[in-house]
Amino acid sequence: MTRYNSMEVEVIKLGLYNIEALGLSSKEVLEQSVVWLREKYETTGDARYLDKAVWHIYAYLEMGYPYESGKEKFQAVLDALGEKEEDVFPKRSWGSKKVPLKKMRINQLLGKWNPGLHSMKISDAVEDIIEKARNRQIGEYTYHCGKVIKQDGENTLWENTCKLYVRDEEVVFHNVNRGKYYILAE
């Protein structure tokens, strides 16, 4: 039985759009949501909460986070459903998008870079990302190129907008325009 619902999963991912800008981790928010939904099921007995929890797990995986990080929390949902991990989340389609801190790989994440309209040259952006990630320079950093698509006060979205979130526990690269997340690792 397939429990995947692409529309619901996309809605969850859209709800998390740019949540890191608030200082929250999308990974932690999704894990906490799964726990909350399971607890709601336990108090109400309504299995729809478990379906919603599974959709949150799918969103977690599609955003590039490794299943193993939330396995204990996810297993509690699967146990309540009487399902096995390999049946609900087949390994073939879920792999975290861990990206090594190599110049070529970071360059690929940044994508096409406009030579005239940019926050910095692509080679400088690649070096900056690697340095901040390796040295764990905690913070949020924006890299962009191209024309401005939308501006609201201090917030701006360019044709190619990427954000780097450096935290104690992990470094997350977010390609805002594509809605893709990657964990950067040595």
Side-chain angles (χ1 to χ4, degrees), residues 18 22 59 63-64 108 115 123:
N18 212 19
L22 300 173
M63 290 174 74
Q108 289 171 339
S123 59

Side-chain angles (χ1 to χ4, degrees), residues 61-149:
L61 295 170
E62 286 186 7
M63 290 174 74
Y65 298 119
Y67 185 88
E68 293 72 31
S69 295
K71 185 172 184 155
E72 186 178 317
K73 296 169 184 124
F74 304 159
Q75 192 58 51
V77 171
L78 294 175
D79 290 346
L81 286 167
E83 298 273 4
K84 293 180 181 173
E85 174 189 332
E86 57 271 10
D87 294 336
V88 180
F89 307 108
K91 296 285 186 205
R92 64 178 168 72
S93 57
W94 310 115
S96 70
K97 297 176 184 105
K98 283 194 176 182
V99 176
L101 286 172
K102 305 258 188 245
K103 288 181 182 183
M104 189 171 78
R105 292 293 287 137
I106 302 302
N107 197 320
Q108 289 171 339
L109 291 182
L110 288 169
K112 285 189 172 185
W113 209 250
N114 186 314
L117 301 170
H118 52 68
S119 56
M120 62 177 67
K121 293 190 321 187
I122 192 163
S123 59
D124 294 340
V126 169
E127 289 293 332
D128 193 62
I129 290 167
I130 291 171
E131 179 184 330
K132 284 177 171 50
R134 281 201 176 125
N135 297 329
R136 288 286 201 232
Q137 294 177 1
I138 307 300
E140 173 186 320
Y141 307 95
T142 303
Y143 304 89
H144 62 82
C145 74
K147 297 176 187 170
V148 171
I149 295 174

Side-chain angles (χ1 to χ4, degrees), residues 5 7 15 19-20 25 30 35 56 73 84-85 103 108-109 132 134 138 164 167 173 182:
N5 182 319
M7 187 67 74
I19 199 162
E20 279 86 359
S25 163
L30 283 167
V35 169
H56 278 74
K73 296 169 184 124
K84 293 180 181 173
E85 174 189 332
K103 288 181 182 183
Q108 289 171 339
L109 291 182
K132 284 177 171 50
R134 281 201 176 125
I138 307 300
L164 180 70
R167 302 186 184 106
F173 181 89
Y182 304 88

Side-chain angles (χ1 to χ4, degrees), residues 15-29:
L16 290 166
Y17 181 75
N18 212 19
I19 199 162
E20 279 86 359
L22 300 173
L24 298 170
S25 163
S26 55
K27 178 181 174 191
E28 289 176 20
V29 168

